[in-house]
Amino acid sequence: MKRLHPHRARLERRMVGSTNRWRFPREPFSGDLLGLSQMCKALNVDFEEALKNPDRLCISQIQKIFSGNLKNKTIQTGEADVILTCLGFKWELHQPQLFQSETLAKLYLMALAQGTTSPTKELERLLRAQLCGNVKERRPIKKMIISLKINDPLITKVAFATALKNLYLSEVEINMDDVLGVLASAHILQLNRLFQRCVVMMMNGLMPSTIKDFYLAGCKYKEEPLTTACEKWLEMNLVPLVGTQIHLRKIPQELLHKVLRSPRLFTFNEFHLLKTLLSWVFLQLNHKIQTVPVHETVLAFFNSFPKKCSFLDQDTGQSLVPLFLCLRLHGIIRGKDLEELRHINFFPESWLIRVTANHYHALESGGDMAHVKDFTTQAMRFGLLFNQEYTTHSEMIAIYGFFFEIKGIKHDTTSYSFYMQRVRHTDPGFPSLLCEHGPVSLRAERLVKYEIRAQTLVDGKWQEFRTNWITQKFGFVKPSCKSHALKVQTAGIPIYASFSFIFPIS
């Protein structure tokens, strides 16, 4: 059998206005070539360039003409040229303002092509009037009705009205409650300057109640600066702020996973981070709860599951395993906290055995953490949140019988320093509870590899200060008992200070 050859594409005719001109259906521009040529002459645009992307180029040139005239004009107060039907309402607009929106400009040109016998001449007359500045003298143009369908639930009447108002005012006032709707409206109307203004507002308006919606908006519109700002904000505020509010429930799992993997994540200690994560899981499974549960309630909930296997081994918990793999469970050292982990039956038995074995071998070898291979992802981490009212702030840490104080000092309004120092359990003021049920090492020196990092927000941008990775032998007397100090000069407050360290093999 002979194979049938497909029909070759033939030139077609199409009625355009009152003419009958050739068009080429497979070319990028499927409209009126002669009309395009005439429009290029009116706009002083190269015809060959116009053929590459005629719609965008012509609209862009028209926008330049109208925007040039807008700079020297007051707000239009005369009769509207265009009626826009959208969201069940009719909006009266004027041509110069309308052409700032590429979306509305396209709708207008389509309506012009369908509603007049000679659309090219109508457009040429309109542009000549703009170029010559004879707006008052031009004869009235037939009022056009255009329609825009919007199905985005974020776009309310108020938000859309704000976006249209932006066509007439250089700085329209945007309410933070409406910023998501204005952003969505600006995207649909293709108003880039307004869109970027909304993005900046959102980046500066991050808080527990907005973080989820702003992050999802950044993902939807592929606005990387916004998603990055959300991630950085949550890295600092997940534990100290969001974890204490019901808004913790709204954090998307994808965002939470990114934040947990970040080396910049701030936490007071590993157990505090674990409690925050357990609360998030609890809230995902208990939708009717409208307040952040106390820790005892969370423990009781997970302890109620069948004992035949851990929660993370069950169908409900398997999708959450990547989140908990980000935790550094070997950083949970207190016997009481470790007993709690086993009691709630949340983690697989193999995980708990590994943690216990690591602690046993570290204690047996004088604190050496042979199980830690990578400082960035496995170092023990502790944090201080240095608030405005502090002049000094410190916490005591006990690890394998060694005791350290992490400390922050405010020297003046913009000068701070952060450091850690080894202390004796017999020093005056040492909290006895810290060593009451734990080991006490009598080693005179302890080799420590550490890093101190401080971060704060200033004028919408994160400032970061950090030491290098430093390996130092800590004794009991100065200067060996004290680490290098991280000096910070900043107007930002609060300051999130993080201390990461390991005990290398010595």
Side-chain angles (χ1 to χ4, degrees), residues 379-392:
M380 293 189 175
R381 48 193 175 183
F382 300 87
L384 293 176
L385 185 58
F386 204 95
N387 291 315
Q388 189 168 6
E389 64 269 20
Y390 292 148
T391 52
T392 62

Side-chain angles (χ1 to χ4, degrees), residues 254-287:
E254 174 212 358
L255 173 59
L256 188 59
H257 191 218
K258 284 183 180 178
V259 168
L260 290 172
R261 292 176 59 190
S262 171
R264 295 182 299 271
L265 173 63
F266 174 85
T267 182
F268 299 113
N269 54 55
E270 204 66 31
F271 191 66
H272 212 123
L273 177 59
L274 170 62
K275 290 198 294 184
T276 301
L277 198 49
L278 288 174
S279 294
W280 179 85
V281 177
F282 175 86
L283 290 170
Q284 304 309 302
L285 301 175
N286 295 273
H287 301 288

Side-chain angles (χ1 to χ4, degrees), residues 353-419:
I353 290 174
R354 185 168 61 248
V355 170
T356 304
N358 289 338
H359 288 331
Y360 176 81
H361 292 305
L363 282 167
E364 194 177 44
S365 58
D368 292 354
M369 300 177 182
H371 56 279
V372 175
K373 308 299 182 186
D374 180 58
F375 185 89
T376 302
T377 60
Q378 293 181 296
M380 293 189 175
R381 48 193 175 183
F382 300 87
L384 293 176
L385 185 58
F386 204 95
N387 291 315
Q388 189 168 6
E389 64 269 20
Y390 292 148
T391 52
T392 62
H393 184 41
S394 65
E395 293 288 343
M396 289 288 189
I397 299 168
I399 302 175
Y400 302 140
F402 298 92
F403 305 100
F404 293 87
E405 180 184 30
I406 56 175
K407 192 168 187 176
I409 298 175
K410 182 178 182 179
H411 303 290
D412 57 46
T413 53
T414 59
S415 179
Y416 306 83
S417 61
F418 297 90
Y419 62 91

Side-chain angles (χ1 to χ4, degrees), residues 80-268:
D81 308 296
V82 182
I83 301 295
L84 169 65
T85 62
C86 184
L87 299 175
F89 296 91
K90 291 183 179 180
W91 316 81
E92 294 190 343
L93 301 173
H94 299 81
Q95 288 166 343
Q97 283 74 21
L98 175 142
F99 271 93
Q100 294 177 73
S101 162
E102 189 169 322
T103 300
L104 297 182
K106 286 179 180 178
L107 290 174
Y108 179 83
L109 293 177
M110 287 171 61
L112 192 68
Q114 295 171 2
T116 60
T117 56
S118 183
T120 305
K121 288 183 179 179
E122 283 293 317
L123 183 58
E124 285 178 359
R125 185 168 59 79
L126 171 63
L127 293 174
R128 276 198 301 270
Q130 288 294 324
L131 288 168
C132 298
N134 297 326
V135 180
K136 292 182 180 179
E137 297 178 8
R138 65 187 174 101
R139 62 186 175 85
I141 295 176
K142 180 184 176 183
K143 187 177 291 187
M144 290 289 177
I145 298 177
I146 60 178
S147 178
L148 178 62
K149 292 183 180 180
I150 295 178
N151 297 318
D152 193 333
L154 286 176
I155 301 180
T156 63
K157 176 189 175 183
V158 172
F160 192 71
T162 302
L164 291 179
K165 192 175 180 181
N166 180 75
L167 299 174
Y168 291 83
L169 300 175
S170 57
E171 283 294 330
V172 65
E173 184 178 344
I174 304 173
N175 190 307
M176 186 61 78
D177 292 337
D178 300 321
V179 70
L180 273 171
V182 177
L183 178 88
S185 301
H187 176 76
I188 284 180
L189 294 173
Q190 294 179 274
L191 298 171
N192 186 60
R193 193 171 67 88
L194 178 62
F195 184 90
Q196 290 303 323
R197 189 178 160 209
C198 290
V199 168
V200 172
M201 274 188 69
M202 292 160 75
M203 290 168 64
N204 293 329
L206 291 171
M207 58 184 67
S209 60
T210 63
I211 181 72
K212 173 204 168 185
D213 291 336
F214 289 3
Y215 174 75
L216 293 179
C219 293
K220 178 179 179 179
Y221 299 116
K222 296 180 173 58
E223 196 64 30
E224 190 174 338
L226 178 56
T227 56
T228 301
C230 292
E231 290 167 17
K232 286 186 175 180
W233 184 89
L234 194 59
E235 287 167 2
M236 295 298 101
N237 292 288
L238 173 64
V239 172
L241 184 59
V242 181
T244 65
Q245 300 185 23
I246 193 62
H247 302 295
L248 175 65
R249 166 188 281 140
K250 300 177 183 177
I251 303 300
Q253 184 170 338
E254 174 212 358
L255 173 59
L256 188 59
H257 191 218
K258 284 183 180 178
V259 168
L260 290 172
R261 292 176 59 190
S262 171
R264 295 182 299 271
L265 173 63
F266 174 85
T267 182
F268 299 113

Side-chain angles (χ1 to χ4, degrees), residues 396 403-405 421-432 434-435 440 475-478 481:
M396 289 288 189
F403 305 100
F404 293 87
E405 180 184 30
Q421 61 184 3
R422 187 179 176 189
V423 296
R424 295 177 189 268
H425 69 287
T426 55
D427 287 349
F430 183 87
S432 58
L434 204 59
C435 62
V440 176
F476 285 116
V477 294
K478 293 181 179 180
C481 69

Side-chain angles (χ1 to χ4, degrees), residues 448-466:
V448 181
K449 182 177 182 179
Y450 65 90
E451 177 192 51
I452 305 172
R453 186 194 301 255
Q455 298 171 87
T456 187
L457 191 62
V458 179
D459 297 329
K461 294 183 179 179
W462 287 98
Q463 291 183 347
E464 183 174 346
F465 309 85
R466 57 189 293 188

